PDB file of all heavy atoms in Angstrom:
ATOM      1  N   TYR A 259     -77.848 -45.257  29.690  1.00 96.00           N
ATOM      2  CA  TYR A 259     -76.399 -45.027  29.897  1.00 96.00           C
ATOM      3  C   TYR A 259     -76.058 -45.405  31.528  1.00 96.00           C
ATOM      4  O   TYR A 259     -75.086 -44.884  32.074  1.00 96.00           O
ATOM      5  CB  TYR A 259     -76.073 -43.521  29.775  1.00 96.00           C
ATOM      6  CG  TYR A 259     -74.712 -43.367  29.032  1.00 96.00           C
ATOM      7  CD1 TYR A 259     -74.582 -43.774  27.800  1.00 96.00           C
ATOM      8  CD2 TYR A 259     -73.697 -42.848  29.770  1.00 96.00           C
ATOM      9  CE1 TYR A 259     -73.329 -43.649  27.165  1.00 96.00           C
ATOM     10  CE2 TYR A 259     -72.441 -42.710  29.177  1.00 96.00           C
ATOM     11  CZ  TYR A 259     -72.259 -43.081  27.883  1.00 96.00           C
ATOM     12  OH  TYR A 259     -71.082 -42.924  27.359  1.00 96.00           O
ATOM     13  N   LYS A 262     -76.734 -50.954  31.716  1.00 97.00           N
ATOM     14  CA  LYS A 262     -77.550 -52.217  31.538  1.00 97.00           C
ATOM     15  C   LYS A 262     -76.950 -53.135  30.366  1.00 97.00           C
ATOM     16  O   LYS A 262     -76.675 -54.253  30.650  1.00 97.00           O
ATOM     17  CB  LYS A 262     -78.981 -51.894  30.999  1.00 97.00           C
ATOM     18  CG  LYS A 262     -79.703 -50.964  31.881  1.00 97.00           C
ATOM     19  CD  LYS A 262     -81.274 -50.770  31.510  1.00 97.00           C
ATOM     20  CE  LYS A 262     -81.329 -49.933  30.323  1.00 97.00           C
ATOM     21  NZ  LYS A 262     -80.673 -48.606  30.157  1.00 97.00           N
ATOM     22  N   SER A 263     -76.718 -52.496  29.277  1.00 97.00           N
ATOM     23  CA  SER A 263     -76.112 -53.351  28.181  1.00 97.00           C
ATOM     24  C   SER A 263     -74.771 -53.850  28.445  1.00 97.00           C
ATOM     25  O   SER A 263     -74.238 -54.919  28.139  1.00 97.00           O
ATOM     26  CB  SER A 263     -76.148 -52.595  26.905  1.00 97.00           C
ATOM     27  OG  SER A 263     -77.467 -52.247  26.573  1.00 97.00           O
ATOM     28  N   THR A 264     -73.994 -53.030  29.282  1.00 98.00           N
ATOM     29  CA  THR A 264     -72.464 -53.386  29.686  1.00 98.00           C
ATOM     30  C   THR A 264     -72.662 -54.775  30.539  1.00 98.00           C
ATOM     31  O   THR A 264     -71.824 -55.677  30.272  1.00 98.00           O
ATOM     32  CB  THR A 264     -71.843 -52.475  30.345  1.00 98.00           C
ATOM     33  OG1 THR A 264     -71.848 -51.244  29.563  1.00 98.00           O
ATOM     34  CG2 THR A 264     -70.417 -52.800  30.769  1.00 98.00           C
ATOM     35  N   ASP A 352     -81.446 -57.966  24.643  1.00 97.00           N
ATOM     36  CA  ASP A 352     -81.309 -56.584  25.026  1.00 97.00           C
ATOM     37  C   ASP A 352     -82.264 -55.781  24.120  1.00 97.00           C
ATOM     38  O   ASP A 352     -82.272 -55.966  22.889  1.00 97.00           O
ATOM     39  CB  ASP A 352     -79.829 -56.177  24.639  1.00 97.00           C
ATOM     40  CG  ASP A 352     -79.540 -54.764  25.235  1.00 97.00           C
ATOM     41  OD1 ASP A 352     -80.334 -53.878  25.394  1.00 97.00           O
ATOM     42  OD2 ASP A 352     -78.337 -54.552  25.613  1.00 97.00           O
ATOM     43  N   GLU A 353     -82.802 -54.846  24.748  1.00 94.00           N
ATOM     44  CA  GLU A 353     -83.947 -54.080  23.987  1.00 94.00           C
ATOM     45  C   GLU A 353     -83.207 -53.340  22.751  1.00 94.00           C
ATOM     46  O   GLU A 353     -83.827 -53.007  21.781  1.00 94.00           O
ATOM     47  CB  GLU A 353     -84.584 -53.018  24.833  1.00 94.00           C
ATOM     48  CG  GLU A 353     -83.688 -52.087  25.639  1.00 94.00           C
ATOM     49  CD  GLU A 353     -84.338 -51.144  26.591  1.00 94.00           C
ATOM     50  OE1 GLU A 353     -85.607 -51.069  26.496  1.00 94.00           O
ATOM     51  OE2 GLU A 353     -83.635 -50.501  27.280  1.00 94.00           O
ATOM     52  N   ASP A 354     -81.867 -52.960  23.106  1.00 94.00           N
ATOM     53  CA  ASP A 354     -81.189 -52.208  22.066  1.00 94.00           C
ATOM     54  C   ASP A 354     -81.130 -52.895  20.713  1.00 94.00           C
ATOM     55  O   ASP A 354     -81.077 -52.324  19.652  1.00 94.00           O
ATOM     56  CB  ASP A 354     -79.722 -52.031  22.403  1.00 94.00           C
ATOM     57  CG  ASP A 354     -79.553 -50.914  23.616  1.00 94.00           C
ATOM     58  OD1 ASP A 354     -80.677 -50.362  23.973  1.00 94.00           O
ATOM     59  OD2 ASP A 354     -78.471 -50.891  24.165  1.00 94.00           O
ATOM     60  N   VAL A 399     -82.819 -57.141  29.216  1.00 98.00           N
ATOM     61  CA  VAL A 399     -82.682 -55.735  29.446  1.00 98.00           C
ATOM     62  C   VAL A 399     -83.849 -55.037  28.795  1.00 98.00           C
ATOM     63  O   VAL A 399     -83.989 -55.026  27.647  1.00 98.00           O
ATOM     64  CB  VAL A 399     -81.216 -55.203  28.773  1.00 98.00           C
ATOM     65  CG1 VAL A 399     -81.172 -53.644  28.767  1.00 98.00           C
ATOM     66  CG2 VAL A 399     -79.958 -55.730  29.397  1.00 98.00           C
TER      67      VAL A 399
HETATM   68 MG1  LIG B 602     -78.263 -50.273  26.400  1.00 65.35          MG
END
Side-chain angles (χ1 to χ4, degrees):
Y259 222 70
K262 304 184 294 299
S263 296
T264 303
D352 192 331
E353 60 183 348
D354 290 352
V399 168

